[in-house]
Amino acid sequence: MTPSRRSSRSPQGKASSKARGAQRGTAKAAGKKNARTAQRPARPRPPKETLELLVGEPAHGGACVARDDSGRVVFVRHALPGETVVAQVTATQKTLAWADAIEVLSPSPDRVPSVWPQAGPHGVGGGELAHVAPAAQRQWKTDVLRGQIRRIGGEALADAVSDIGGVRVQAAPGDTAPDDPLLHRRSRIELVANQDSNAGMHRFRDRVVLPLKEMPLAVEDIVDLGLFGSDSPWRHLWSPKDRIRVVASNTGDNRVLVRTPQGLFDAERQMVEDDTCHWRIEVNGQTFDYRVRMDGFWQTHREGAQVLAQAVSDAAGLRGGEKVAELYSGAGLFTQVLASQVGEKGRVVSVEGAEDAVADATANCAAYGTVDTFVGAVDEGAVTDLVGELGSAPDVLVCDPPRTGAGREVCARIADSEAARVVLVSCDPAAGARDLRALTESGYELESLRAWDLFPHTHHVEFVAALNRR
Ligand SMILES: C[S@@+](CC[C@H](N)C(=O)[O-])C[C@H]1O[C@@H](n2cnc3c(N)ncnc32)[C@H](O)[C@@H]1O
């Protein structure tokens, strides 16, 4: 390994369904077609199937589970547990179907008017829980997390979680007020221009770009840019099909950067060269500053970096002088905090696949002479090599893999490293449950498990677990 730079949810009753409305949709569509067929005969399309469903528990991925009259499982988006809805089937596969709730016949008390209607049925992705009251979103995510822990992690892991008091998805700091709609939390968004050069997003699981009227989940600095609509002053800075990335900082002068194929722009639409974002957090009362290239990974929720860095610090429990290994270090969010906490007598080694992120991590840890940041794919060999750099078993190993999780092999090598303590950060309940299972089946005992809603209005959830070697 070559060092880069030294630096430092149903009601549990039977769900019912009734095919209906298909004719309703067909008649409408047929009327439209007649106008067109005067010129060009159209190939008849199968009518879109609609079903009346009693909606059951939430499944991982933002949909709830229902069964139609045939017993087929239907994943219903834009619904809530306990509701009866009319749902339009959007996709089918063997014995499964996916559907969007298009009419709610008996609303849940947890339903609210959507905070982002364009992410509703047949709309864009990225806001699939926008019709759910925030506290109910957290309950939804808690149910999914617990379900994944039991289904994928297994009974033994579920028992271990129960032995430590269970797990509940909490609100991020500042997100706890009951009436807060939790808008303006996302510090980074990805857009794409439609054929008219209006900024939009892809329809959920579709290539069609829907022009956005608003993006109320983005932080105010991004909303204030006025990116949307045919009179947006930004439209000349992109062309049809262009991808547009918009990223905000939480400190510094240049608070927003917009990248289009035509260049990099500040909030005044002036072309700039410096693609660095700046972020400041506080852990245990100590301030940490970061520079992060706008195209690199960074936590999306405006409090995400802070919440997770504090949680990793709590879980690591460093006192000074420890040896720490970190997998998937990104731009060094945790690395810098860990380096500060091990102090001069300790050592931190990290590995990350994105070269630019490692350059940022190196710069972010420059004040610490006890850190080595490495570029490399995290695989079985890399874990062994990284730990080898420490010369003996790590006191703490921190692992924050991408959504796919670390996987069985990497977890096996983590166990082989004989790290006394493992801190696992996960942004996917299924992958995280699988990784936790691998670790607990290979010599580790769960000490703590905390989870946060760092992605309000989506199904995503983040957790941090601490495990000790038995
Ligand atoms: C969830 S991010 C965590 C980054 C950092 N802990 C943070 O919170 O900012 C996962 C990181 O793993 C990196 N990554 C994804 N797959 C990888 C792989 N196979 N090998 C090495 N790094 C990888 C990504 O580039 C990303 O920086």
Side-chain angles (χ1 to χ4, degrees):
M1 177 173 292
T2 317
S4 133
R5 268 174 265 164
R6 179 86 197 257
S7 71
S8 38
R9 173 120 72 161
S10 117
Q12 297 301 314
K14 179 178 179 295
S16 74
S17 76
K18 192 166 101 187
R20 55 171 270 175
Q23 291 73 14
R24 187 200 303 172
T26 314
K28 242 187 181 173
K32 272 191 189 155
K33 269 184 192 146
N34 286 344
R36 266 191 268 132
T37 48
Q39 281 140 19
R40 182 163 54 90
R43 199 170 338 149
R45 283 186 177 187
K48 282 194 174 166
E49 185 185 9
T50 55
L51 303 164
E52 187 177 308
L53 298 165
L54 172 59
V55 177
E57 66 187 341
H60 178 34
C64 294
V65 182
R67 280 184 189 273
D68 67 10
D69 282 343
S70 70
R72 176 177 63 164
V73 169
V74 185
F75 295 103
V76 193
R77 285 165 55 83
H78 312 295
L80 270 152
E83 289 186 335
T84 304
V85 301
V86 177
Q88 191 166 55
V89 175
T90 55
T92 57
Q93 194 188 76
K94 293 183 182 165
T95 56
L96 299 174
W98 287 261
D100 278 1
I102 54 171
E103 191 182 340
V104 181
L105 302 178
S106 67
S108 159
D110 293 327
R111 179 174 281 275
V112 294
S114 172
V115 297
W116 187 22
Q118 282 196 280
H122 313 313
V124 300
E128 60 277 3
L129 300 192
H131 62 292
V132 184
Q137 291 186 25
R138 295 191 286 271
Q139 183 61 50
W140 175 307
K141 296 181 197 202
T142 297
D143 292 346
V144 169
L145 179 55
R146 291 176 181 165
Q148 295 294 308
I149 284 170
R150 187 165 295 279
R151 280 189 206 105
I152 297 178
E155 290 299 324
L157 179 64
D159 289 348
V161 171
S162 162
D163 289 347
I164 58 166
V167 64
R168 172 159 289 286
V169 175
Q170 315 165 51
D175 287 2
T176 51
D179 298 333
D180 188 333
L182 303 189
L183 303 178
H184 311 308
R185 266 45 181 193
R186 279 188 206 172
S187 66
R188 18 190 68 216
I189 61 170
E190 304 278 344
L191 304 169
V192 57
N194 76 350
Q195 71 273 23
D196 301 319
S197 281
N198 290 321
M201 289 173 67
H202 285 110
R203 179 182 279 157
F204 180 67
R205 289 201 178 145
D206 199 346
R207 292 164 72 162
V208 172
V209 178
L210 302 175
L212 287 184
K213 298 182 189 137
E214 57 171 358
M215 209 298 174
L217 308 190
V219 294
E220 275 104 341
D221 281 339
I222 293 179
V223 171
D224 291 348
L225 295 172
L227 296 166
F228 307 114
S230 55
D231 55 355
S232 167
W234 289 85
R235 280 178 76 221
H236 67 285
L237 294 175
W238 54 69
S239 306
K241 296 189 183 167
D242 278 356
R243 296 198 169 261
I244 305 153
R245 185 174 176 86
V246 192
V247 175
S249 296
N250 82 342
T251 187
D253 294 335
N254 206 6
R255 298 292 281 261
V256 200
L257 288 170
V258 180
R259 190 191 292 290
T260 81
Q262 292 197 30
L264 180 66
F265 304 91
D266 65 12
E268 278 71 48
R269 297 183 297 286
Q270 297 300 312
M271 211 175 236
V272 292
E273 282 188 0
D274 184 1
D275 66 350
T276 317
C277 300
H278 297 272
W279 214 264
R280 175 170 289 178
I281 63 167
E282 211 181 278
V283 176
N284 295 345
Q286 188 180 339
T287 301
F288 296 92
D289 284 305
Y290 298 85
R291 54 160 264 193
V292 192
R293 257 161 265 210
M294 76 171 293
D295 296 317
F297 177 89
W298 193 249
Q299 301 295 336
T300 299
H301 189 290
R302 63 187 193 191
E303 296 297 328
Q306 162 92 47
V307 169
L308 292 179
Q310 181 67 59
V312 166
S313 165
D314 296 347
L318 298 169
R319 294 166 176 268
E322 295 90 345
K323 291 181 174 180
V324 178
E326 186 192 7
L327 309 177
Y328 313 97
S329 56
L333 170 62
F334 307 145
T335 329
Q336 193 188 161
V337 174
L338 297 165
S340 151
Q341 295 178 344
V342 297
E344 284 178 6
K345 293 190 176 154
R347 182 136 187 254
V348 180
V349 291
S350 67
V351 62
E352 153 67 39
E355 217 166 301
D356 282 353
V358 176
D360 284 344
T362 304
N364 289 328
C365 297
Y368 304 92
T370 50
V371 181
D372 281 303
T373 53
F374 295 89
V375 182
V378 175
D379 55 19
E380 304 98 277
V383 180
T384 309
D385 287 354
L386 186 72
V387 170
E389 293 285 331
L390 290 174
S392 60
D395 296 295
V396 178
L397 185 146
V398 176
C399 177
D400 182 11
R403 202 145 277 156
T404 46
R408 198 158 274 284
E409 297 301 328
V410 166
C411 289
R413 296 292 86 75
I414 292 174
D416 290 349
S417 80
E418 300 189 353
R421 175 176 279 241
V422 172
V423 177
L424 177 70
V425 184
S426 173
C427 57
D428 185 273
R434 186 200 58 211
D435 288 348
L436 278 180
R437 177 175 193 153
L439 290 167
T440 50
E441 289 181 349
S442 55
Y444 287 89
E445 189 171 36
L446 188 65
E447 182 189 274
S448 65
L449 178 60
R450 299 164 75 194
W452 290 267
D453 182 3
L454 296 180
F455 309 89
H457 306 296
T458 76
H459 67 278
H460 296 294
V461 61
E462 193 90 28
F463 76 67
V464 175
L467 303 101
N468 293 319
R469 198 169 163 76
R470 286 191 198 97

